[in-house]
């Protein structure tokens, strides 16, 4: 009985899907993204366009660093949970590199990671239900900020993926997966949810128990990435 009580308390402590704490950040980010991207897309000054998104990416990255620094200073840092090896945290730390150099090959990889992975984290949040918590704001700024960055690159820098981008992103994800296996073995952790599914609701719940959900996820990644690529393919066909 104690297990079920503790589990219920844990779930109540998390943001529930469809709650105000879930929907409001998404609405605010959507409005900001539309205004931000539209404004700088219509600016002919390329330097200003580049600086704007780079500053924004630095802010998103800084939130990860600030959150980790705060936990370390509070003696509340757990190497098995808090290292920035979760996909979204790692992408946030790397975001300023992409916005500074604007390399197309980076865009090819992170587009599918962000839209495919970060969007899932936005739809099924795994964050504390406490608007006074730094982790709450870190979670939403990072995940929604990454989506803004990749859409900014798409619509302001006019970057577009190709079919080869799907393959490149998939292969890069396999490299990340192999590295996380080693990290999880070293720290007895669960980065990239390779040892257990997230406690909150997610798509992995439909893929069976461990280790089958990992295998199923691997099988559907390329079709999933192709689905993300489909609007770009249709856009290219219409233009041609």
């Amino acid at each position: 009985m104690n297990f079920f009580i503790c589990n219920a308390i844990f779930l109540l402590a998390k943001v529930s899907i469809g709650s105000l704490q879930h929907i409001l950040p998404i609405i605010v980010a959507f409005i900001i993204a539309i205004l931000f991207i539209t404004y700088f897309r219509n600016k002919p000054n390329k330097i200003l366009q580049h600086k704007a998104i780079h500053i924004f990416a630095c802010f998103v990255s800084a939130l990860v660093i600030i959150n980790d620094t705060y936990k370390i200073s509070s003696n509340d840092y757990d190497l098995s949970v808090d290292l920035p090896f979760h996909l979204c945290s790692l992408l946030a730390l790397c975001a300023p590199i992409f916005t500074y150099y604007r390399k197309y090959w980076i865009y090819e990889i992170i587009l599918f990671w962000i839209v495919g992975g970060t969007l899932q984290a936005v739809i099924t949040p795994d964050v504390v239900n406490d608007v006074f918590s730094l982790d709450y704001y870190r979670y939403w700024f990072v995940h929604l900020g990454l989506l803004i960055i990749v859409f900014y690159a798409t619509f302001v820098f006019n970057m577009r993926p190709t079919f080869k981008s799907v393959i490149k992103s998939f292969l890069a994800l396999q490299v990340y997966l192999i590295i996380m296996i080693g990290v999880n073995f070293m720290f007895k952790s669960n980065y990239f949810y390779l040892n257990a599914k997230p406690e909150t609701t997610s798509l992995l719940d439909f893929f069976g128990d461990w280790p089958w959900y990992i295998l199923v996820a691997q099988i559907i990644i390329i079709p999933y990435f192709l689905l993300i690529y489909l609007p770009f393919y249709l856009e290219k066909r219409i233009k041609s």
Side-chain angles (χ1 to χ4, degrees), residues 28-42 152:
V28 172
F30 180 78
I31 295 172
I32 291 174
I34 294 295
L35 296 175
F36 185 57
I37 292 173
T38 301
Y39 177 80
F40 285 102
R41 188 181 185 185
N42 296 325
Y152 187 101

Side-chain angles (χ1 to χ4, degrees), residues 50 98-99 101-108 110-111 149-162 232 235:
H50 297 160
F98 167 63
T99 56
Y101 292 104
R102 301 180 301 281
K103 295 294 185 180
Y104 177 68
W105 67 268
I106 300 178
Y107 170 83
E108 289 183 285
I110 67 171
L111 170 70
I149 290 170
V150 78
F151 286 130
Y152 187 101
T154 300
F155 295 109
V156 178
F157 296 155
N158 289 315
M159 292 182 173
R160 297 290 190 276
T162 65
F232 299 100
E235 178 194 33

Side-chain angles (χ1 to χ4, degrees), residues 27-152:
I27 294 174
V28 172
F30 180 78
I31 295 172
I32 291 174
I34 294 295
L35 296 175
F36 185 57
I37 292 173
T38 301
Y39 177 80
F40 285 102
R41 188 181 185 185
N42 296 325
K43 282 285 183 183
N45 191 328
K46 299 296 182 182
I47 296 177
L48 186 60
Q49 287 179 344
H50 297 160
K51 283 186 176 180
I53 194 60
H54 183 59
I55 292 172
F56 180 82
C58 288
F59 175 73
V60 171
S61 182
L63 282 176
V64 175
I65 298 172
I66 291 171
N67 183 71
D68 284 12
T69 303
Y70 174 77
K71 284 189 174 183
I72 293 172
S73 64
S74 303
N75 294 320
D76 189 31
Y77 200 80
D78 186 347
L79 295 179
S80 66
V81 178
D82 297 319
L83 287 171
F85 288 139
H86 288 293
L87 187 59
C88 295
S89 296
L90 187 62
L91 286 169
L93 291 176
C94 295
I97 299 174
F98 167 63
T99 56
Y100 182 80
Y101 292 104
R102 301 180 301 281
K103 295 294 185 180
Y104 177 68
W105 67 268
I106 300 178
Y107 170 83
E108 289 183 285
I109 293 172
I110 67 171
L111 170 70
F112 297 97
W113 290 16
I114 291 175
V115 176
T118 304
L119 190 59
Q120 164 65 18
V122 170
I123 296 172
T124 58
D126 182 15
V127 63
V128 292
N129 186 21
D130 182 4
V131 296
F132 298 104
S133 168
L134 175 62
D135 189 56
Y136 175 86
Y137 293 98
R138 189 271 317 165
Y139 185 92
W140 289 114
F141 271 111
V142 167
H143 290 87
L144 294 170
L146 286 171
L147 287 168
I148 292 174
I149 290 170
V150 78
F151 286 130
Y152 187 101

